[in-house]
Amino acid sequence: MRQKTMPQQISLFESGNNWNLGKTPLGGGLKGRVIGKIQLAHKFEDIISLENLFSAWPEFLAGKKKKKDVQEFDRHLADNILALHKDLSNRTYKHGGYQSFYINDPKRRHIHKASVRDRLLHHAVYRILYPFFDRTFISDSFSCRNNKGTHEAINRFRAVSYKVSENNTKTCWVLKCDIKKFFASIDHNILLDIIKEYIPNEDILWLLKNVIESFVTLPLIPSHQGRGVPIGLPLGNLTSQLFANVYMNVFDQWVKHKLKAKHYIRYADDFVFLSPDRQWLLDIIPKVREFLSEKLRLTLHPDKIFLKTIFSGVDFLGWVNFVNYRTLRQTTKRRMLTRIKNNPTFETLQSYLGLLGHGNTHKVRDELLIEYWLWQN
């Protein structure tokens, strides 16, 4: 039986090997290491090429065909893409501003949406850079990655808890942490310094800097030089998802290779450590806090640090996880029932039934169906 080969995971802390993995036609291009780090082989022209820009359009268009601004851009698609390509080629491109609005999902979030022209560029950048950077991420990072996600993360959590507890014969302790105002706190200068270690092309760096510096969280954090330090990534940008993982990958690699954590799972700004040793988990809290603060200028949320056993139930990614089962978080349940009441469509029902299939939710499923039939008629 042929054995599956897993995607190569590359450590920032490896050194002494000369990797020569060649260049791929689209995304993930690699070339030799500098001080142990792989570097992007793609050129600026690969990102801004007409072929890449036109290929990015249908990917951007998914789910947006009825949007007025998208329809207007699509009406003169060729001219608009040619104009964008010309500005990029001449280095006269300047990222535009953002439309600001709020959503509740479930907590109130401030979204910033760029123009269609800029969002198309985000997709063109993403389709080249994501395959490359994804190879540098650890396998237990689950946010905004292909073949990953929340369900894979909680399934991995369950598998690791079984391993740590030796099939529920020993106590498994879980340290859960959260980063305060994560996206709004990402330091532009630190992010660009991280990216420079992987991307030697000055034109690509110019473009990424243009995108990153198109948005800042106000007020600016004062620096030791008296100038404001630009921070923050907009939640509405596709590139923000990638940049956030690139930023936190520094922490992930430190956790694995310096802190020597055997069992660690991260989804965006939520992460957990699992261990049979309660004291070890207590001891790493100040180390984690210090690394995040000094290296990434991030802050552990003081009210969201929890140390519990798996037997008592651990709230992680919308589910309360126990030894042999998981239940839906009460706030998630209330939000779901409210939404089906306000929007009792078959599509909404099927979406929630799919979600409920990942846990022990027979009673919640019955409540959902009752609400659906009650408010549909």
Side-chain angles (χ1 to χ4, degrees):
M1 185 175 181
R2 188 175 179 181
Q3 197 173 20
K4 288 186 178 180
T5 57
M6 297 298 291
Q8 185 177 7
Q9 301 296 325
I10 301 171
S11 165
L12 277 76
F13 292 89
E14 291 174 340
S15 61
N17 293 319
N18 293 317
W19 291 88
N20 185 11
L21 303 181
K23 179 177 177 181
T24 57
L26 176 63
L30 305 172
K31 70 178 185 181
R33 288 170 173 261
V34 174
I35 318 179
K37 287 192 174 66
I38 60 171
Q39 290 195 311
L40 182 74
H42 281 287
K43 299 178 180 179
F44 178 65
E45 289 72 22
D46 296 326
I47 294 176
I48 70 164
S49 70
L50 288 173
E51 178 184 1
N52 192 47
L53 291 171
F54 274 104
S55 296
W57 177 251
E59 297 172 4
F60 163 77
L61 195 61
K64 306 183 187 74
K65 292 182 179 180
K66 295 182 180 180
K67 301 291 185 180
K68 185 177 179 181
D69 55 347
V70 174
Q71 292 175 345
E72 289 176 355
F73 192 93
D74 193 35
R75 200 168 292 124
H76 304 285
L77 181 62
D79 291 339
N80 287 327
I81 290 182
L82 286 170
L84 174 59
H85 172 72
K86 181 179 179 181
D87 286 347
L88 291 166
S89 298
N90 295 334
R91 313 300 190 273
T92 56
Y93 168 81
K94 180 67 177 176
H95 196 290
Y98 291 85
Q99 177 187 351
S100 172
F101 57 94
Y102 289 88
I103 63 171
N104 297 298
D105 186 35
K107 63 182 180 182
R108 189 170 174 82
R109 298 182 186 275
H110 196 182
I111 305 298
H112 292 84
K113 186 176 78 170
S115 68
V116 173
R117 169 185 165 100
D118 291 330
R119 283 183 285 157
L120 171 60
L121 176 64
H122 299 167
H123 277 260
V125 169
Y126 187 87
R127 67 196 313 271
I128 296 294
L129 295 191
Y130 169 78
F132 167 76
F133 276 113
D134 190 64
R135 298 180 184 186
T136 71
F137 300 154
I138 66 170
S139 60
D140 284 328
S141 166
F142 286 89
S143 174
C144 303
R145 296 179 64 189
N146 295 342
N147 303 315
K148 300 281 187 177
T150 54
H151 299 318
E152 287 74 13
I154 59 175
N155 286 337
R156 174 62 175 161
F157 179 90
R158 179 169 57 184
V160 172
S161 68
Y162 279 144
K163 183 176 182 179
V164 173
S165 66
E166 298 183 16
N167 293 328
N168 304 325
T169 61
K170 295 184 178 180
T171 302
C172 172
W173 289 92
V174 181
L175 172 64
K176 182 177 180 294
C177 303
D178 181 276
I179 295 173
K180 188 176 182 179
K181 297 182 178 179
F182 173 53
F183 276 90
S185 301
I186 292 176
D187 187 300
H188 290 187
N189 295 331
I190 294 175
L191 174 59
L192 286 167
D193 285 343
I194 295 169
I195 292 173
K196 287 175 185 177
E197 295 179 354
Y198 295 94
I199 300 179
N201 187 292
E202 291 294 332
D203 291 323
I204 296 179
L205 291 174
W206 164 80
L207 178 58
L208 299 185
K209 184 177 181 181
N210 204 319
V211 174
I212 291 168
E213 295 186 347
S214 66
F215 175 86
V216 292
T217 301
L218 298 175
L220 298 178
I221 295 177
S223 70
H224 66 280
Q225 297 174 329
R227 298 193 300 268
V229 176
I231 60 172
L233 294 178
L235 286 175
N237 283 5
L238 176 64
T239 48
S240 295
Q241 301 174 7
L242 175 60
F243 293 149
N245 272 333
V246 170
Y247 201 77
M248 285 300 291
N249 188 46
V250 175
F251 177 68
D252 295 341
Q253 299 290 347
W254 174 79
V255 165
K256 287 292 188 180
H257 299 280
K258 297 299 181 180
L259 195 61
K260 303 293 184 181
K262 293 182 179 179
H263 306 295
Y264 161 82
I265 299 168
R266 182 178 65 81
Y267 186 94
D269 56 342
D270 289 330
F271 52 92
V272 291
F273 296 87
L274 297 89
S275 173
D277 188 341
R278 180 178 183 272
Q279 189 58 49
W280 182 81
L281 292 174
L282 286 172
D283 291 342
I284 68 171
I285 294 175
K287 297 177 183 179
V288 168
R289 182 184 288 112
E290 181 183 11
F291 184 91
L292 288 172
S293 176
E294 293 190 0
K295 301 298 183 182
L296 298 176
R297 304 284 173 83
L298 297 174
T299 304
L300 275 186
H301 200 301
D303 300 327
K304 295 184 179 180
I305 301 175
F306 302 101
L307 182 59
K308 303 179 69 176
T309 67
I310 193 69
F311 293 100
S312 63
V314 176
D315 190 332
F316 184 51
L317 300 181
W319 294 87
V320 181
N321 299 268
F322 293 90
V323 175
N324 293 315
Y325 67 97
R326 64 175 73 103
T327 61
L328 202 62
R329 183 192 293 163
Q330 285 299 312
T331 53
T332 306
K333 171 187 169 181
R334 287 194 295 269
R335 184 175 72 253
M336 180 179 61
L337 294 176
T338 299
R339 284 188 178 177
I340 200 70
K341 174 181 176 180
N342 296 331
N343 185 33
T345 65
F346 182 73
E347 291 75 17
T348 303
L349 175 66
Q350 289 301 308
S351 175
Y352 282 133
L353 289 176
L355 169 67
L356 295 176
H358 292 274
N360 300 74
T361 56
H362 299 296
K363 291 183 179 179
V364 179
R365 185 177 184 275
D366 290 343
E367 288 183 59
L368 180 70
L369 289 170
I370 290 171
E371 289 289 330
Y372 172 71
W373 290 114
L374 178 64
W375 293 104
Q376 184 200 41
N377 300 313

